[in-house]
Amino acid sequence: MTTGTGRAAAAKAAPDVVRLRSPEMMKGLLKELPGRVWEGKESLPGCVAEFIEACPESAEGENIHVITLLVAEAGRKKATYRKAAIAALDRALAALAPAKTKTENENTGQEDFFPTVLPLLRELLGGTSNTITTADAAGNTVAEMEEEAARVAAEAKTNDAVADQCLRCLATLCAGSASDAMRAGAAECASFAHDALAPSHGWTRRAAACAVVTAAASRVALDGSSKAKDNEQWLVPLRDAVVSCAEDPRVSQLRVSAVDALVAVAQALKGSLKSETRVACIKQLELMRDGDRAPDVRGAAGKALANLGA
């Protein structure tokens, strides 16, 4: 099979058969990424991610190169292609640097993707990408103006989805990061999350920001070299914003995301049991366990408190 979708399908259907030729097949996929964005190319970054998920060894020794190429594609101007590329980048990061689940006292020699990925996320989340307004919806006739306005609205919606996807990608980056990279980048990641937690954003943006808080706090909680007092410096500013999500009565999914963030923050501050931020997180979880109207939120809060031993 020579197409990107064909290679990805083969890797997913018969990984043991493909594995012997996977580096060669991966190189073929990667060669197709640069160049113009032709119609239908939106599927190609996803094919790369799917191939890596099925055969992670296909990128062995080339991890940084693969991530660099996906970052370049995610920086393209076409919003729909950018969205697809960022989603693929997220999946590739999760496959090449899975979320940590055990405490580490030092780095294990893993590659650090922060320097490669963070500049892209910094640009897109920092608002330096192209901003589309209704002023762009120009036309000579009413019909043309309406058509252009619809196009602008659709692209703006896609750009909103891109921002949500960037936050999810940032969460994945944090969850699988090297311990020293997470310590160094924690404050900036927290800043991105804080901005996205603002009530002026939609619930999906705020939930994605909660995921960043969860990932970053969970990662430092598993870092045997991190100190609660250092973590508190960047976690304190997030407390009220996360609590605001926890108290939002409109969307239970957002409140469940807030539960995850609250318990992760409490875990990251477990070395400082009297921390006001930790105490506030546990108090909010208790309120949600006992008083939230949604059963899934009450259940999530109760499980979180049990895990904390509270």
Side-chain angles (χ1 to χ4, degrees):
M1 294 184 182
T2 58
T3 65
T5 53
R7 292 189 184 98
K12 187 175 182 179
D16 292 336
V17 175
V18 171
R19 191 163 284 118
L20 293 175
R21 294 188 57 204
S22 62
E24 176 187 346
M25 295 173 73
M26 173 58 73
K27 287 181 180 179
L29 270 176
L30 296 178
K31 285 181 180 179
E32 297 181 33
L33 281 175
R36 69 181 183 87
V37 180
W38 32 265
E39 185 176 354
K41 192 177 180 180
E42 285 85 354
S43 64
L44 183 58
C47 291
V48 173
E50 190 170 354
F51 197 96
I52 293 172
E53 289 168 340
C55 298
E57 64 275 11
S58 64
E60 188 172 349
E62 297 287 336
N63 290 358
I64 293 291
H65 177 59
V66 172
I67 295 300
T68 299
L69 286 175
L70 288 173
V71 164
E73 297 307 294
R76 300 292 192 106
K77 291 183 178 180
K78 186 179 180 182
T80 53
Y81 185 76
R82 181 188 297 160
K83 178 185 174 184
I86 295 172
L89 175 62
D90 185 12
R91 293 169 62 188
L93 285 170
L96 296 176
K100 306 301 179 186
T101 58
K102 297 180 180 179
T103 300
E104 297 177 348
N105 292 319
E106 58 183 19
N107 286 329
T108 55
Q110 72 177 82
E111 290 171 294
D112 179 10
F113 294 121
F114 258 86
T116 305
V117 179
L118 199 56
L120 169 74
L121 301 181
R122 186 182 294 130
E123 177 184 350
L124 297 179
L125 292 173
T128 58
S129 58
N130 293 333
T131 300
I132 301 170
T133 68
T134 55
D136 297 317
N140 295 321
T141 67
V142 173
E144 289 176 344
M145 291 174 65
E146 289 177 346
E147 182 180 350
E148 183 64 8
R151 184 195 67 78
V152 168
E155 193 159 348
K157 184 176 181 180
T158 301
N159 283 340
D160 281 343
V162 165
D164 293 354
Q165 187 64 60
C166 281
L167 289 165
R168 288 191 286 271
C169 188
L170 179 60
T172 301
L173 180 66
C174 291
S177 66
S179 56
D180 57 352
M182 187 68 256
R183 287 196 299 270
E188 185 174 13
C189 294
S191 176
F192 291 140
H194 184 272
D195 291 344
L197 286 167
S200 58
H201 292 301
W203 78 267
T204 57
R205 182 77 53 84
R206 299 171 78 197
C210 282
V212 174
V213 177
T214 301
S218 297
R219 182 66 190 91
V220 297
L222 293 173
D223 179 2
S225 300
S226 72
K227 299 179 180 179
K229 65 177 182 179
D230 295 331
N231 296 336
E232 193 152 17
Q233 291 181 4
W234 56 271
L235 288 172
V236 167
L238 295 170
R239 181 184 68 192
D240 291 345
V242 173
V243 168
S244 177
C245 293
E247 294 176 341
D248 191 313
R250 295 167 296 181
V251 184
S252 63
Q253 295 100 310
L254 175 59
R255 300 199 299 280
V256 170
S257 295
V259 166
D260 294 338
L262 289 167
V263 69
V265 171
Q267 289 281 21
L269 299 176
K270 61 182 180 292
S272 180
L273 299 181
K274 294 183 179 180
S275 160
E276 290 184 6
T277 296
R278 189 176 194 275
V279 170
C281 289
I282 292 175
K283 181 179 178 180
Q284 183 61 44
L285 287 169
E286 290 172 341
L287 290 172
M288 298 172 82
R289 177 195 62 190
D290 300 335
D292 197 280
R293 65 185 181 182
D296 56 335
V297 177
R298 294 196 302 272
K303 184 177 179 180
L305 288 165
N307 290 338
L308 288 171

